[in-house]
Structure formats: C-alpha cells, structure tokens
Amino acid sequence: MRLGHLNLPLLRRPAAAAALSLACSVVAAAPLDALLSAAPVDDAGKGELELSYDMVNDSVDFLHLRSSGSGGPTSTTTANPKPGDYKGFHARGAYSIGDAWRIDGSAWHRSLDYRSFNADVLSWQLGAQYRWLDGGTSSPSGAIRLSAWGNRAPDMRKSTSTTIEGIKFSSATVTRPRDMQLQADAIGTWPLRQHLALNGFAGIGVGRVDFDHVSATSKQKGCEYQVDFGPDLIVATCNSGGQQITLSAPPSAYGINVDKEAKYDSRYLHFGGSVQWRSGPWRARAGYQYLRMNRTNVDDILVRRGETPYKSNNVFIVDGGYQVTAHVMLFARGQLMRNQFGGEIPMAYNTVSARRFNQRYGILSLGLNISF
C-alpha cells in the first residue's frame, strides 16, 4: 500500500536532519600543514619515510585536551557525552628530485570509538613542492606547493537508539561519505641562526563533499520503519501484518534536503607558521595554523535555523625527536584543534553535526622517521 504526502511525525524536519547527523558527526584526519617549510633546518637525505601510531583516550589525555560533554546533535540526544577515543596509524613519505622539486604523499587510517558510534576512515594526501629560491642554511628560501587531499569511508553507522525531538531512531547510516580538496600554498623559511629557522605559509583551496545515500530506522506505533532520504523524496517503509506500508513526501514539505544539508562545495584559506630547531641528535618543532572556510548552502541553512556555523579553526602542533641512528629518528607529536576537526575532514560537517565543532580535541602520535 502506498500513501502520498502525509504529515507523519517520523518525517518532520528535525527528525530527518537528525538521521543525517547521527552517522556523520565526528571523524578525524590531519594533513599537518602547520609544519610546512620551504627548506629543512639541516641538510637531509633525498628521501624520508614517517611511520606513526596515533591515539587519544583517557589514559593519554592527562592534559584534558578533549572537551568533555561533546554530546550529540541536540540537547535531547542520548548520545554518550564522553569524548570519543581515537586510534590509527599513518605513513608519510617524501622524495627530492634534483635541487628544487620535492614530492610527498601520505595515507592515514583512523578509527573512532564512541559508546554507540564507530567509524573507520581512510585519509590521503599527495603534493609537489618547487623551491624557487634556495637560500641554503644562511639566507631565506621560498617555495610554492600544490597538493590534493581527501577522506572517505565505506559507511558511518549509529547502532544504538537516540531520541531527538520526541522521535526515537534505532540506527542511522550514511553510505560512502567522502571529500576531496585541491590546495595551493606559498611557503618561506628564514634561518635565524645555525640549526634554528622560522617558517611561514599561506594558501587557498577548493573542495567538494559528497555521499551516496542516507537512511535510518525508527519504530512508530509498533512498526519498524526504514527511512530513506533522497534529493527528491523522503520515503518510509514498514512491513506490518504481511502488508507493506509506504509513506512518502518531497523534501520541500519538511524543509530538509540532504543534497544541501551535507553535500556542498567549499573554498578556504589558511595561513600560519612554525619554528624548527635541531641540535645534535635532538629535533623540536612547533607550529600554528589558522583556517577559514566558506561553504555553499550548509552554513546559510544553519543561520536561517538560528544555529551557529563554524567557519574557522585553530590548530597547534608540537613535536620532538631523537636521532637513534644515522637514518632513524624516534618522535612524539601532539596536535590540538580548537574546533574539533573543522576543515580537516569536511565530510564530517553538516547542518546538524555542526554544533559538535565548538569542541576542542587533541591527538598524540608516536613514531619513527627514516631518512635515505
């Protein structure tokens, strides 16, 4: 049996938006742009490989870098208020071609574990850098850099029940969420004295966020509805007493359109700098990045609903390393983000999950760097 446009509570705007946010709320990736440099502080090999284990949990978050109480998309959600645990690993490599060119790439595997939300994300980055001014170890150096980076996951699932605006969802899924960015940067390095240098950078980029499908389940009057959110129609189906009940309505009837709520184009700019130091077997770096984003549709919708869009982020990175052999360095790195992962993984941001981005988050990385 098919019924036409009905004012069913299951399909009210807050419920539909909640279904989208349950599966897309928080994930992470970090291209480490705060540490960009035009030249190394010391002579280095033609190539390098970095391998790292990345994590955050109650044991390592002794500085309380994660904000507490980062609950779900509305004040009525039953999501776990504890900040999510994070674990993963990454590999980053770079190789110099001649005296001026350097290419690099990285791959990250990220796992987030909340009480009721889990996500496995693959992040990637490819870049090429040209040093047009080579000042060596005593004069300024300048470089331009072009890169592409992005994130993707097979799906994101919310597997436990959550109540939003009086509607109880038992699960929600986003299929194949993904994003991709193209970026251009100008970078400068100024040696301050031997083994000490200051870096500065500024860049712009464009991006696109996409996914295949959004669905959710909700039990209404004893019937478990499967809700599918499409660009032209929202459809809820349920099998009851051997009969299929289908309820449908256009998105415009309820003020929700997934193609505008979570698919969007973006433009962004960023700038920042770092200081790097090397003495004997020891190395230390500290960097800062400011990021400002402009998105189509999604932030305008937030403003119309009286919500706060988060269009910027501040990222701080500190790391230190010790050279254990001529070609191997052990390092530890800490990263702090003022607005969670804003700008680092755009596919996590939509009209409802946006309110999560007022929380800070920190990650610890332990690994080794191999030069050759």
Side-chain angles (χ1 to χ4, degrees):
M1 178 174 66
R2 172 172 288 275
L3 301 180
H5 178 188
L6 295 181
N7 189 18
L8 184 69
L10 173 65
L11 298 181
R12 290 185 303 186
R13 183 189 71 191
L20 178 65
S21 70
L22 293 179
C24 288
S25 42
V26 180
V27 282
L32 303 178
D33 280 348
L35 299 178
L36 287 174
S37 67
V41 68
D42 286 313
D43 292 335
K46 293 183 71 66
E48 64 175 319
L49 175 64
E50 177 180 291
L51 304 174
S52 174
Y53 181 72
D54 315 308
M55 63 186 143
V56 64
N57 53 44
D58 287 342
S59 298
V60 302
D61 189 28
F62 60 91
L63 295 178
H64 303 292
L65 297 181
R66 298 176 297 170
S67 295
S68 60
S70 56
T74 72
S75 59
T76 58
T77 183
T78 59
N80 183 14
K82 173 186 172 182
D85 291 340
Y86 172 98
K87 63 180 179 180
F89 56 88
H90 76 260
R92 303 175 68 237
Y95 189 77
S96 296
I97 302 174
D99 296 329
W101 287 93
R102 190 168 180 84
I103 57 175
D104 63 87
S106 62
W108 307 66
H109 182 269
R110 315 277 187 165
S111 294
L112 279 168
D113 184 12
Y114 283 68
R115 181 185 65 181
S116 56
F117 174 81
N118 295 277
D120 289 310
V121 179
L122 175 65
S123 305
W124 59 272
Q125 184 182 38
L126 295 172
Q129 184 166 310
Y130 174 71
R131 188 165 60 226
W132 58 271
L133 176 63
D134 187 354
T137 60
S138 59
S139 299
S141 295
I144 56 174
R145 173 180 166 84
L146 299 176
S147 62
W149 57 278
N151 310 273
R152 60 179 56 242
D155 56 45
M156 297 183 188
R157 296 178 180 270
K158 180 77 163 56
S159 57
T160 58
S161 62
T162 301
T163 300
I164 303 174
E165 296 289 339
I167 306 299
K168 188 174 183 178
F169 290 90
S170 52
S171 67
T173 302
V174 173
T175 305
R176 294 189 67 234
R178 55 198 182 270
D179 64 69
M180 179 177 175
Q181 286 67 232
L182 300 176
Q183 183 174 315
D185 294 294
I187 312 166
T189 295
W190 297 266
L192 301 179
R193 59 182 178 84
Q194 190 177 16
H195 308 307
L196 179 67
L198 180 67
N199 305 300
F201 65 87
I204 57 174
V206 295
R208 172 66 180 171
V209 174
D210 208 347
F211 61 85
D212 282 1
H213 187 65
V214 177
S215 62
T217 57
S218 180
K219 193 172 184 179
Q220 301 289 327
K221 297 182 179 179
C223 197
E224 188 78 17
Y225 281 88
Q226 175 69 38
V227 187
D228 293 305
F229 301 93
D232 302 315
L233 203 64
I234 301 175
V235 180
T237 58
C238 177
N239 292 315
S240 178
Q243 186 179 32
Q244 179 173 289
I245 301 173
T246 303
L247 308 168
S248 63
S252 59
Y254 306 102
I256 178 73
N257 188 319
V258 292
D259 278 359
K260 292 184 177 180
E261 306 271 346
K263 290 184 179 181
Y264 54 86
D265 296 315
S266 65
R267 301 189 305 273
Y268 64 93
L269 62 86
H270 73 150
F271 59 84
S274 65
V275 60
Q276 56 188 37
W277 168 83
R278 182 75 182 263
S279 179
W282 295 98
R283 183 193 73 182
R285 298 183 295 180
Y288 166 77
Q289 175 193 16
Y290 175 80
L291 180 69
R292 181 74 180 181
M293 296 151 282
N294 183 19
R295 311 176 182 93
T296 59
N297 297 318
V298 58
D299 286 334
D300 290 337
I301 294 173
L302 284 168
V303 171
R304 288 201 301 268
R305 293 177 180 170
E307 300 284 344
T308 301
Y310 293 94
K311 299 184 178 183
S312 64
N313 202 1
N314 296 272
V315 181
F316 303 88
I317 298 177
V318 176
D319 75 5
Y322 182 79
Q323 195 88 33
V324 293
T325 72
H327 300 285
V328 177
M329 173 178 287
L330 301 179
F331 72 87
R333 177 181 299 138
Q335 178 176 356
L336 174 64
M337 292 158 280
R338 175 60 186 86
N339 291 329
Q340 283 222 36
F341 306 104
E344 298 289 356
I345 182 162
M347 73 181 192
Y349 186 95
N350 58 59
T351 54
V352 181
S353 66
R355 64 179 60 196
R356 282 185 179 270
F357 286 77
N358 70 339
Q359 305 289 336
R360 68 176 184 270
Y361 205 85
I363 299 174
L364 173 67
S365 298
L366 301 173
L368 57 88
N369 185 285
I370 304 169
S371 61
F372 55 90

